[in-house]
């Protein structure tokens, strides 16, 4: 009798384990399917774009996005400001994914993930000229995904295709305001996806090659800015930035400050072959290669000090999906040139709150550097 009871208990335990494993595998399949679907949509989107550009294509009216004459030859790159989209590739994730983000981080963080962006072309068509992309290396492919597995919906999963999308738009809108790409390389949460690989010197070499092959002569590099000067800072202190006219149609890529700056710089310390500008925090602006600074806190006094050093600063108008009037005003008053927001004119929220820099302009003169213009 007792033996029969234990056999039944054992069967129940085995059944529970089988059901648990099955549910876990189904959960993994569901979460993984988001990435697979994103890749499929991205591939179809690129096919449609290639066909679109083979037809009679009308370029966007670039002047419609700016509050000043884009043909003015006296205006320099650091003397304009532009709206930037935050996590420009991200689509709205699944509820189950957000639940796991809440367990692994916090439910406040999970709540702040409820935003989505359309494909990069649609953002470009709405006047966005600066993107932020997270970069991961997976199975010999560079990808843009926020958090592996649990928040992996993306319009730019395959970065080679994403760069092709930007390059195609640039080619067919050749006089556009320069596009600034802020790339944040990531190695967090790698345990969620065994296919992810660390990014080291060899991977940086591959990535630089990808940038060069994707953008060709439209890629404006650190050595282009440095010219005959001994360093970027020497160039900026003596000549400041090139004019907007010189940079129309160009693409500049900035490596987000953090742990990857030193390994990237070590691959080419004199910057002669690097494709990306090393981004700086506000604590490292004395470096000879300082050009772009990420200062997410819109501290007016601190950012104005950086502007005086001829640096281009990225700050955030909002964060965590919170639109605070004091933060917005501080960002506007700061003079930061790259103004990142989740509420840009192409966002996919249900409401119709859009962040512009002035009226319905996404590119404006920098009134901190050019007062009275």
């Amino acid at each position: 009798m007792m033996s029969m009871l234990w056999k039944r208990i054992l069967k129940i335990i085995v059944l529970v384990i089988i059901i648990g494993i099955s549910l876990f595998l189904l959960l993994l399949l569901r979460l993984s399917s988001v990435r697979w679907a994103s890749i499929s949509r991205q591939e179809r989107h690129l096919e449609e774009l290639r066909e679109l550009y083979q037809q009679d294509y009308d370029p966007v009216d670039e002047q419609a996005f700016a509050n000043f004459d884009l043909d003015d030859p006296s205006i320099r790159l650091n003397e304009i400001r532009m709206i930037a989209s935050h996590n420009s590739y991200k689509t709205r994730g699944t509820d189950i994914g957000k639940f796991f983000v809440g367990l692994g981080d916090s439910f406040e963080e999970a709540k702040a993930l409820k935003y989505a962006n359309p494909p990069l072309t649609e953002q470009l068509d709405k006047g966005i000229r600066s993107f932020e992309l997270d970069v991961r290396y997976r199975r010999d492919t560079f990808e843009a995904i926020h958090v592996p597995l649990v928040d992996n919906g993306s319009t730019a999963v395959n970065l080679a295709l994403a760069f092709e999308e930007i390059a195609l738009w640039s080619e067919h809108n050749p006089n556009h305001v320069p596009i600034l790409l802020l790339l944040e390389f990531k190695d967090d949460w790698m345990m969620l996806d065994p296919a992810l690989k660390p990014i080291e010197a060899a991977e940086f070499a591959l990535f630089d090659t990808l940038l060069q092959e994707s953008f060709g002569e439209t890629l404006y590099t650190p050595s282009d800015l440095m010219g005959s000067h001994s360093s970027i800072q020497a160039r900026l202190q003596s000549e400041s930035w090139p004019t907007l006219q010189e940079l129309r149609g160009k693409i500049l890529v900035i490596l987000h400050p953090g742990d990857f700056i030193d390994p990237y710089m070590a691959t080419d310390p004199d910057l002669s072959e690097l494709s990306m500008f090393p981004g700086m925090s506000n604590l490292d602006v004395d470096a000879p290669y300082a050009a772009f600074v990420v200062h997410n806190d819109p501290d007016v006094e601190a950012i104005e000090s950086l502007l005086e050093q001829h640096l281009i600063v990225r700050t955030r108008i909002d964060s965590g999906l919170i639109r605070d009037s004091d933060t917005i005003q501080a960002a506007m008053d700061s003079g930061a040139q790259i103004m990142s927001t989740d509420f840009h004119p192409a966002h996919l929220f249900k409401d119709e709150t859009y962040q512009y820099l002035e009226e319905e302009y996404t590119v404006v003169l920098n009134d901190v550097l050019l007062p009275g213009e």
Side-chain angles (χ1 to χ4, degrees):
M1 185 72 177
M2 185 63 68
S3 175
M4 291 293 293
L5 177 61
W6 278 110
K7 286 182 179 180
R8 289 178 182 177
I9 292 174
L10 183 60
K11 286 181 180 179
I12 292 172
I13 291 173
V14 171
L15 183 60
V16 169
I17 291 173
I18 292 173
I19 291 173
I21 292 174
S22 299
L23 289 174
F24 178 71
L25 292 175
L26 285 172
L27 177 62
L28 288 180
L29 184 63
R30 171 69 183 97
L31 292 172
S32 298
S33 70
V34 174
R35 177 181 169 277
W36 301 333
S38 293
I39 292 173
S40 180
R41 282 194 299 270
Q42 186 186 16
E43 291 173 345
R44 290 197 304 271
H45 179 61
L46 261 294
E47 290 177 3
E48 292 169 357
L49 288 176
R50 295 179 191 120
E51 293 178 5
L52 171 69
Y53 291 124
Q54 289 176 357
Q55 302 168 7
D56 291 333
Y57 173 79
D58 293 325
V60 302
D61 180 6
E62 192 75 353
Q63 185 61 63
F65 303 120
N67 75 342
F68 62 95
D69 183 2
L70 290 176
D71 294 324
D72 186 334
S74 68
I75 298 171
R76 298 185 179 276
L77 180 63
N78 63 320
E79 295 173 337
I80 68 170
R81 309 178 75 182
M82 60 179 68
I83 285 286
S85 56
H86 170 240
N87 285 344
S88 311
Y89 59 90
K90 189 181 176 309
T91 61
R92 194 179 299 275
T94 62
D95 289 337
I96 188 64
K98 292 186 181 68
F99 174 75
F100 281 107
V101 171
L103 290 179
D105 193 332
S106 72
F107 286 100
E108 278 299 310
E109 176 66 20
K111 183 179 179 181
L113 296 177
K114 294 181 179 179
Y115 61 93
N117 289 305
L120 301 178
T121 296
E122 188 171 330
Q123 295 182 54
L124 288 163
D125 286 345
K126 293 289 184 69
I128 306 302
R129 296 294 173 268
S130 183
F131 297 128
E132 180 188 33
L133 304 173
D134 292 330
V135 180
R136 299 179 186 274
Y137 191 53
R138 187 182 190 279
R139 295 191 191 281
D140 303 321
T141 301
F142 292 100
E143 298 189 344
I145 283 177
H146 192 236
V147 182
L149 192 64
V150 296
D151 190 33
N152 56 356
S154 174
T155 66
V157 182
N158 186 321
L159 273 174
L161 293 182
F163 291 161
E164 180 185 352
E165 179 172 358
I166 295 170
L168 281 170
W169 188 92
S170 177
E171 177 186 351
H172 291 85
N173 293 273
N175 293 315
H176 62 78
V177 168
I179 298 169
L180 307 184
L181 301 181
L182 178 62
L183 304 184
E184 184 171 4
F185 282 68
K186 288 196 169 186
D187 58 2
D188 58 343
W189 299 106
M190 290 181 65
M191 77 289 290
L192 296 177
D193 188 344
L196 290 171
K197 298 180 180 181
I199 299 172
E200 299 173 342
E203 288 70 37
F204 276 127
L206 288 172
F207 193 77
D208 267 7
T209 299
L210 174 61
L211 288 172
Q212 293 156 10
E213 292 177 349
S214 298
F215 299 128
E217 294 183 357
T218 64
L219 183 66
Y220 189 81
T221 67
S223 64
D224 291 330
L225 177 61
M226 192 162 51
S228 60
H229 295 274
S230 60
S231 69
I232 287 178
Q233 269 297 296
R235 157 67 195 255
L236 295 182
Q237 296 303 322
S238 62
E239 295 184 43
S240 191
W241 285 85
T243 65
L244 187 59
Q245 286 288 71
E246 294 175 79
L247 295 176
R248 296 275 291 275
K250 296 292 186 180
I251 296 166
L252 289 75
V253 183
I254 308 147
L255 175 59
H256 194 287
D259 294 339
F260 289 99
I261 293 293
D262 288 344
Y264 182 62
M265 287 294 300
T267 65
D268 184 14
D270 64 4
L271 280 71
S272 61
E273 302 295 332
L274 294 187
S275 297
M276 296 186 286
F277 288 86
M280 316 303 296
S281 76
N282 60 302
L283 301 177
D284 299 318
V285 295
D286 292 333
Y289 47 81
F292 293 92
V293 179
V294 173
H295 196 302
N296 288 330
D297 174 21
D299 182 318
V300 175
E301 185 176 346
I303 292 176
E304 285 183 348
S305 175
L306 296 171
L307 300 186
E308 291 172 0
Q309 301 173 62
H310 305 282
L311 298 165
I312 288 180
V313 181
R314 182 260 198 162
T315 197
R316 294 189 65 173
I317 300 174
D318 47 73
S319 63
L321 304 186
I322 297 173
R323 286 178 53 79
D324 174 73
S325 58
D326 290 338
T327 301
I328 294 172
Q329 191 58 54
M332 294 298 177
D333 293 342
S334 72
Q337 293 95 337
I338 305 173
M339 305 280 279
S340 178
T341 176
D342 288 314
F343 295 88
H344 56 83
H347 75 66
L348 297 178
F349 291 110
K350 291 182 180 179
D351 63 47
E352 295 185 358
T353 300
Y354 300 110
Q355 180 67 58
Y356 292 95
L357 296 179
E358 176 187 313
E359 298 176 359
E360 293 190 357
Y361 297 118
T362 56
V363 181
V364 300
L365 280 180
N366 193 328
D367 54 3
V368 172
L369 291 176
L370 299 174
E373 291 287 334

